[in-house]
Amino acid sequence: MESWNSSIHFCQWHGITCGRKHQRVTKLELQFLELSGSLSPYIGNLSFLKELNLEGNSFYNQIPQEICRLRRLETLELSNNSFTGEIPSNLSACYKLTLVGMRGNQLTGEIPASLGFLSNLKHLNFAINRLRGSIPPSLGNLSSLEKLSLRTNSLSGVIPEGIGQLTNLSVFSVEENAISGTIPFTMFNLSNMRSFDIGGNNIQGTLPSDLAITMPNLKFFSAWENQISGK
């Protein structure tokens, strides 16, 4: 980060992208740089920010609530750090978000139901954390969602019926949780599904015999250690 000094305009600093007209920071891309420490609440002052990528560093402590002031934010990638605490409850205020990645942290608490208001969201990844509670039924409102990964947490409850209405969904992963109930039958009609992983839960029921027809694009299917019966 030697370029981050007063002799060079901040728009020329490593990892910084500015808008051409207003010279305001629009991207902060600092992934895999061995950075550590807390994420400053002043991050909320970057009001023109569209992309925040801090993946693969060693940031810790809570994700500041002030991040929800970034109304232009489209990409929030915080995966593979050591963030603790809960997912910011008012993240839905960043209504332009298309990607939320928080995989591989130490986040606790429940998945906020308010995330169901993020109508532009395509990728949602909370895998490998310590989240509990159930999958919010409101996620069934995310009509643009393509990838949903919640694997390796402590989630319980059932898979909401609304998930079966997400026709753009291509990746669904809830492996290694404590989810019960049955798979919503409508999920087997999601023709864009490529990867379907429910292994390591307490899910019951049977699989449809025409799965290869209703899910023609399926490349990966895993249902180990459940209570599924039939052929």
Side-chain angles (χ1 to χ4, degrees):
M1 312 299 287
E2 292 180 358
S3 65
W4 285 45
N5 60 69
S6 57
S7 64
I8 302 173
H9 192 278
F10 62 82
C11 288
Q12 305 302 318
W13 291 357
H14 176 82
I16 298 289
T17 300
C18 289
R20 293 180 180 179
K21 293 182 179 180
H22 44 66
Q23 295 291 288
R24 299 287 295 274
V25 178
T26 57
K27 293 184 180 181
L28 193 57
E29 300 171 283
L30 301 174
Q31 60 269 35
F32 306 110
L33 291 176
E34 299 182 3
L35 302 174
S36 64
S38 299
L39 180 57
S40 171
Y42 291 114
I43 192 75
N45 291 344
L46 298 177
S47 56
F48 280 74
L49 199 65
K50 292 183 177 181
E51 181 175 337
L52 175 61
N53 190 340
L54 303 177
E55 182 179 5
N57 286 290
S58 298
F59 287 101
Y60 52 81
N61 289 336
Q62 295 189 0
I63 301 169
Q65 290 282 342
E66 286 79 2
I67 211 165
C68 305
R69 291 164 50 187
L70 304 175
R71 301 302 172 88
R72 291 179 170 88
L73 196 63
E74 297 173 5
T75 296
L76 176 60
E77 181 55 272
L78 305 177
S79 295
N80 300 318
N81 280 279
S82 297
F83 286 111
T84 57
E86 299 186 356
I87 299 165
S89 58
N90 56 345
L91 195 59
S92 58
C94 303
Y95 62 92
K96 291 187 176 182
L97 278 169
T98 61
L99 183 150
V100 174
M102 298 184 184
R103 179 185 189 276
N105 282 283
Q106 300 172 35
L107 298 173
T108 56
E110 300 185 0
I111 300 172
S114 58
L115 294 180
F117 291 112
L118 294 175
S119 58
N120 297 307
L121 200 61
K122 293 183 178 181
H123 296 180
L124 182 61
N125 193 339
F126 291 140
I128 316 177
N129 278 284
R130 301 172 182 175
L131 299 173
R132 54 178 175 77
S134 57
I135 302 173
S138 60
L139 296 189
N141 299 328
L142 300 176
S143 58
S144 299
L145 199 63
E146 297 174 4
K147 297 182 179 180
L148 176 61
S149 182
L150 306 174
R151 65 179 295 263
T152 317
N153 278 285
S154 298
L155 298 173
S156 56
V158 301
I159 300 173
E161 290 285 339
I163 301 295
Q165 306 298 325
L166 302 180
T167 55
N168 293 309
L169 199 63
S170 63
V171 174
F172 179 76
S173 176
V174 294
E175 177 186 8
E176 294 180 330
N177 281 285
I179 294 170
S180 57
T182 59
I183 304 167
F185 191 76
T186 49
M187 290 198 73
F188 296 120
N189 294 318
L190 298 178
S191 58
N192 289 315
M193 189 70 71
R194 291 186 291 105
S195 179
F196 188 87
D197 188 355
I198 58 170
N201 284 284
N202 299 310
I203 295 171
Q204 301 174 347
T206 59
L207 301 177
S209 58
D210 59 349
L211 188 62
I213 299 173
T214 60
M215 286 185 170
N217 295 301
L218 199 62
K219 303 294 183 185
F220 179 83
F221 182 88
S222 175
W224 56 275
E225 285 190 18
N226 279 284
Q227 300 176 43
I228 295 172
S229 58
K231 295 183 179 180

